[in-house]
PDB file of all heavy atoms in Angstrom:
ATOM      1  N   ASN B 496     -15.509  29.840  15.742  1.00  0.00           N
ATOM      2  CA  ASN B 496     -16.084  29.050  14.658  1.00  0.00           C
ATOM      3  C   ASN B 496     -15.151  28.318  13.808  1.00  0.00           C
ATOM      4  O   ASN B 496     -15.393  27.239  13.272  1.00  0.00           O
ATOM      5  CB  ASN B 496     -17.008  30.119  13.705  1.00  0.00           C
ATOM      6  CG  ASN B 496     -18.170  30.643  14.572  1.00  0.00           C
ATOM      7  OD1 ASN B 496     -18.605  30.088  15.486  1.00  0.00           O
ATOM      8  ND2 ASN B 496     -18.632  31.772  14.007  1.00  0.00           N
ATOM      9  N   LEU B 497     -14.001  29.022  13.656  1.00  0.00           N
ATOM     10  CA  LEU B 497     -12.918  28.404  12.834  1.00  0.00           C
ATOM     11  C   LEU B 497     -12.433  27.120  13.606  1.00  0.00           C
ATOM     12  O   LEU B 497     -12.252  26.072  13.075  1.00  0.00           O
ATOM     13  CB  LEU B 497     -11.668  29.291  12.742  1.00  0.00           C
ATOM     14  CG  LEU B 497     -11.712  30.323  11.598  1.00  0.00           C
ATOM     15  CD1 LEU B 497     -10.671  31.324  11.600  1.00  0.00           C
ATOM     16  CD2 LEU B 497     -11.725  29.683  10.293  1.00  0.00           C
ATOM     17  N   MET B 498     -12.303  27.192  14.852  1.00  0.00           N
ATOM     18  CA  MET B 498     -11.778  26.140  15.705  1.00  0.00           C
ATOM     19  C   MET B 498     -12.907  25.045  15.646  1.00  0.00           C
ATOM     20  O   MET B 498     -12.482  23.815  15.361  1.00  0.00           O
ATOM     21  CB  MET B 498     -11.600  26.496  17.192  1.00  0.00           C
ATOM     22  CG  MET B 498     -10.433  27.443  17.408  1.00  0.00           C
ATOM     23  SD  MET B 498      -8.856  26.855  16.928  1.00  0.00           S
ATOM     24  CE  MET B 498      -8.446  25.717  18.087  1.00  0.00           C
ATOM     25  N   ALA B 499     -14.110  25.307  15.875  1.00  0.00           N
ATOM     26  CA  ALA B 499     -15.158  24.261  15.856  1.00  0.00           C
ATOM     27  C   ALA B 499     -15.189  23.588  14.422  1.00  0.00           C
ATOM     28  O   ALA B 499     -15.347  22.330  14.388  1.00  0.00           O
ATOM     29  CB  ALA B 499     -16.497  24.909  16.125  1.00  0.00           C
ATOM     30  N   THR B 500     -15.116  24.409  13.377  1.00  0.00           N
ATOM     31  CA  THR B 500     -15.218  23.827  12.014  1.00  0.00           C
ATOM     32  C   THR B 500     -14.082  22.847  11.775  1.00  0.00           C
ATOM     33  O   THR B 500     -14.265  21.795  11.235  1.00  0.00           O
ATOM     34  CB  THR B 500     -15.212  24.953  11.015  1.00  0.00           C
ATOM     35  OG1 THR B 500     -16.269  25.955  11.299  1.00  0.00           O
ATOM     36  CG2 THR B 500     -15.407  24.418   9.531  1.00  0.00           C
ATOM     37  N   MET B 501     -12.838  23.270  12.130  1.00  0.00           N
ATOM     38  CA  MET B 501     -11.707  22.523  11.897  1.00  0.00           C
ATOM     39  C   MET B 501     -11.601  21.262  12.748  1.00  0.00           C
ATOM     40  O   MET B 501     -11.179  20.130  12.383  1.00  0.00           O
ATOM     41  CB  MET B 501     -10.385  23.254  11.963  1.00  0.00           C
ATOM     42  CG  MET B 501     -10.246  24.443  10.927  1.00  0.00           C
ATOM     43  SD  MET B 501     -10.833  23.915   9.261  1.00  0.00           S
ATOM     44  CE  MET B 501      -9.605  22.791   8.723  1.00  0.00           C
ATOM     45  N   VAL B 502     -12.117  21.385  14.001  1.00  0.00           N
ATOM     46  CA  VAL B 502     -12.014  20.196  14.880  1.00  0.00           C
ATOM     47  C   VAL B 502     -13.119  19.087  14.283  1.00  0.00           C
ATOM     48  O   VAL B 502     -12.747  17.910  14.112  1.00  0.00           O
ATOM     49  CB  VAL B 502     -12.361  20.571  16.327  1.00  0.00           C
ATOM     50  CG1 VAL B 502     -12.771  19.287  17.156  1.00  0.00           C
ATOM     51  CG2 VAL B 502     -11.325  21.317  17.006  1.00  0.00           C
ATOM     52  N   LEU B 503     -14.239  19.559  13.884  1.00  0.00           N
ATOM     53  CA  LEU B 503     -15.152  18.757  13.322  1.00  0.00           C
ATOM     54  C   LEU B 503     -14.721  18.183  11.922  1.00  0.00           C
ATOM     55  O   LEU B 503     -14.940  16.998  11.617  1.00  0.00           O
ATOM     56  CB  LEU B 503     -16.652  19.304  13.023  1.00  0.00           C
ATOM     57  CG  LEU B 503     -17.337  19.607  14.365  1.00  0.00           C
ATOM     58  CD1 LEU B 503     -18.578  20.487  14.222  1.00  0.00           C
ATOM     59  CD2 LEU B 503     -17.752  18.289  15.022  1.00  0.00           C
ATOM     60  N   GLY B 504     -13.939  19.027  11.182  1.00  0.00           N
ATOM     61  CA  GLY B 504     -13.307  18.537  10.023  1.00  0.00           C
ATOM     62  C   GLY B 504     -12.334  17.518  10.203  1.00  0.00           C
ATOM     63  O   GLY B 504     -12.208  16.515   9.473  1.00  0.00           O
ATOM     64  N   GLY B 505     -11.608  17.680  11.389  1.00  0.00           N
ATOM     65  CA  GLY B 505     -10.607  16.647  11.747  1.00  0.00           C
ATOM     66  C   GLY B 505     -11.244  15.331  12.112  1.00  0.00           C
ATOM     67  O   GLY B 505     -10.899  14.280  11.665  1.00  0.00           O
ATOM     68  N   LEU B 506     -12.326  15.471  12.790  1.00  0.00           N
ATOM     69  CA  LEU B 506     -13.037  14.299  13.298  1.00  0.00           C
ATOM     70  C   LEU B 506     -13.750  13.597  12.157  1.00  0.00           C
ATOM     71  O   LEU B 506     -13.974  12.359  12.131  1.00  0.00           O
ATOM     72  CB  LEU B 506     -14.126  14.749  14.340  1.00  0.00           C
ATOM     73  CG  LEU B 506     -14.578  13.758  15.314  1.00  0.00           C
ATOM     74  CD1 LEU B 506     -13.395  13.008  16.063  1.00  0.00           C
ATOM     75  CD2 LEU B 506     -15.627  14.252  16.339  1.00  0.00           C
ATOM     76  N   TRP B 507     -14.017  14.361  11.065  1.00  0.00           N
ATOM     77  CA  TRP B 507     -14.636  13.748   9.805  1.00  0.00           C
ATOM     78  C   TRP B 507     -13.620  12.708   9.293  1.00  0.00           C
ATOM     79  O   TRP B 507     -14.056  11.679   8.728  1.00  0.00           O
ATOM     80  CB  TRP B 507     -14.938  14.823   8.884  1.00  0.00           C
ATOM     81  CG  TRP B 507     -15.284  14.350   7.549  1.00  0.00           C
ATOM     82  CD1 TRP B 507     -16.638  14.154   7.113  1.00  0.00           C
ATOM     83  CD2 TRP B 507     -14.526  14.012   6.370  1.00  0.00           C
ATOM     84  NE1 TRP B 507     -16.567  13.664   5.783  1.00  0.00           N
ATOM     85  CE2 TRP B 507     -15.379  13.597   5.366  1.00  0.00           C
ATOM     86  CE3 TRP B 507     -13.191  13.947   6.099  1.00  0.00           C
ATOM     87  CZ2 TRP B 507     -14.904  13.178   4.165  1.00  0.00           C
ATOM     88  CZ3 TRP B 507     -12.600  13.509   4.992  1.00  0.00           C
ATOM     89  CH2 TRP B 507     -13.546  13.119   3.897  1.00  0.00           C
ATOM     90  N   HIS B 508     -12.283  12.951   9.464  1.00  0.00           N
ATOM     91  CA  HIS B 508     -11.398  12.017   8.848  1.00  0.00           C
ATOM     92  C   HIS B 508     -11.349  10.683   9.527  1.00  0.00           C
ATOM     93  O   HIS B 508     -10.961   9.735   8.894  1.00  0.00           O
ATOM     94  CB  HIS B 508      -9.907  12.635   8.924  1.00  0.00           C
ATOM     95  CG  HIS B 508      -9.813  13.750   7.886  1.00  0.00           C
ATOM     96  ND1 HIS B 508     -10.181  15.068   8.089  1.00  0.00           N
ATOM     97  CD2 HIS B 508      -9.272  13.678   6.676  1.00  0.00           C
ATOM     98  CE1 HIS B 508      -9.896  15.686   6.966  1.00  0.00           C
ATOM     99  NE2 HIS B 508      -9.279  14.951   6.117  1.00  0.00           N
ATOM    100  N   GLY B 509     -11.753  10.754  10.868  1.00  0.00           N
ATOM    101  CA  GLY B 509     -11.638   9.445  11.548  1.00  0.00           C
ATOM    102  C   GLY B 509     -11.905   9.656  13.074  1.00  0.00           C
ATOM    103  O   GLY B 509     -11.802  10.704  13.570  1.00  0.00           O
ATOM    104  N   ALA B 510     -12.424   8.468  13.682  1.00  0.00           N
ATOM    105  CA  ALA B 510     -12.725   8.565  15.073  1.00  0.00           C
ATOM    106  C   ALA B 510     -11.550   8.257  15.927  1.00  0.00           C
ATOM    107  O   ALA B 510     -11.332   7.146  16.299  1.00  0.00           O
ATOM    108  CB  ALA B 510     -13.863   7.559  15.294  1.00  0.00           C
ATOM    109  N   ALA B 511     -10.601   9.276  15.995  1.00  0.00           N
ATOM    110  CA  ALA B 511      -9.522   9.090  16.927  1.00  0.00           C
ATOM    111  C   ALA B 511      -9.083  10.473  17.395  1.00  0.00           C
ATOM    112  O   ALA B 511      -9.303  11.546  16.672  1.00  0.00           O
ATOM    113  CB  ALA B 511      -8.354   8.506  16.033  1.00  0.00           C
ATOM    114  N   TRP B 512      -8.481  10.509  18.495  1.00  0.00           N
ATOM    115  CA  TRP B 512      -8.014  11.714  19.091  1.00  0.00           C
ATOM    116  C   TRP B 512      -6.902  12.468  18.347  1.00  0.00           C
ATOM    117  O   TRP B 512      -6.861  13.735  18.410  1.00  0.00           O
ATOM    118  CB  TRP B 512      -7.563  11.570  20.561  1.00  0.00           C
ATOM    119  CG  TRP B 512      -8.764  11.295  21.509  1.00  0.00           C
ATOM    120  CD1 TRP B 512      -9.151  10.228  22.043  1.00  0.00           C
ATOM    121  CD2 TRP B 512      -9.743  12.255  21.906  1.00  0.00           C
ATOM    122  NE1 TRP B 512     -10.273  10.333  22.822  1.00  0.00           N
ATOM    123  CE2 TRP B 512     -10.726  11.568  22.697  1.00  0.00           C
ATOM    124  CE3 TRP B 512      -9.849  13.639  21.603  1.00  0.00           C
ATOM    125  CZ2 TRP B 512     -11.801  12.334  23.206  1.00  0.00           C
ATOM    126  CZ3 TRP B 512     -10.972  14.278  22.219  1.00  0.00           C
ATOM    127  CH2 TRP B 512     -11.964  13.655  22.980  1.00  0.00           C
ATOM    128  N   ASN B 513      -6.148  11.747  17.587  1.00  0.00           N
ATOM    129  CA  ASN B 513      -5.104  12.437  16.782  1.00  0.00           C
ATOM    130  C   ASN B 513      -5.702  13.332  15.672  1.00  0.00           C
ATOM    131  O   ASN B 513      -5.189  14.450  15.327  1.00  0.00           O
ATOM    132  CB  ASN B 513      -4.020  11.604  16.306  1.00  0.00           C
ATOM    133  CG  ASN B 513      -4.528  10.532  15.264  1.00  0.00           C
ATOM    134  OD1 ASN B 513      -5.605   9.985  15.550  1.00  0.00           O
ATOM    135  ND2 ASN B 513      -3.837  10.359  14.188  1.00  0.00           N
TER     136      ASN B 513
END
Side-chain angles (χ1 to χ4, degrees):
Chain B
N496 294 342
L497 280 171
M498 292 301 282
T500 304
M501 295 318 289
V502 167
L503 287 169
L506 205 53
W507 174 90
H508 285 83
W512 283 107
N513 63 316

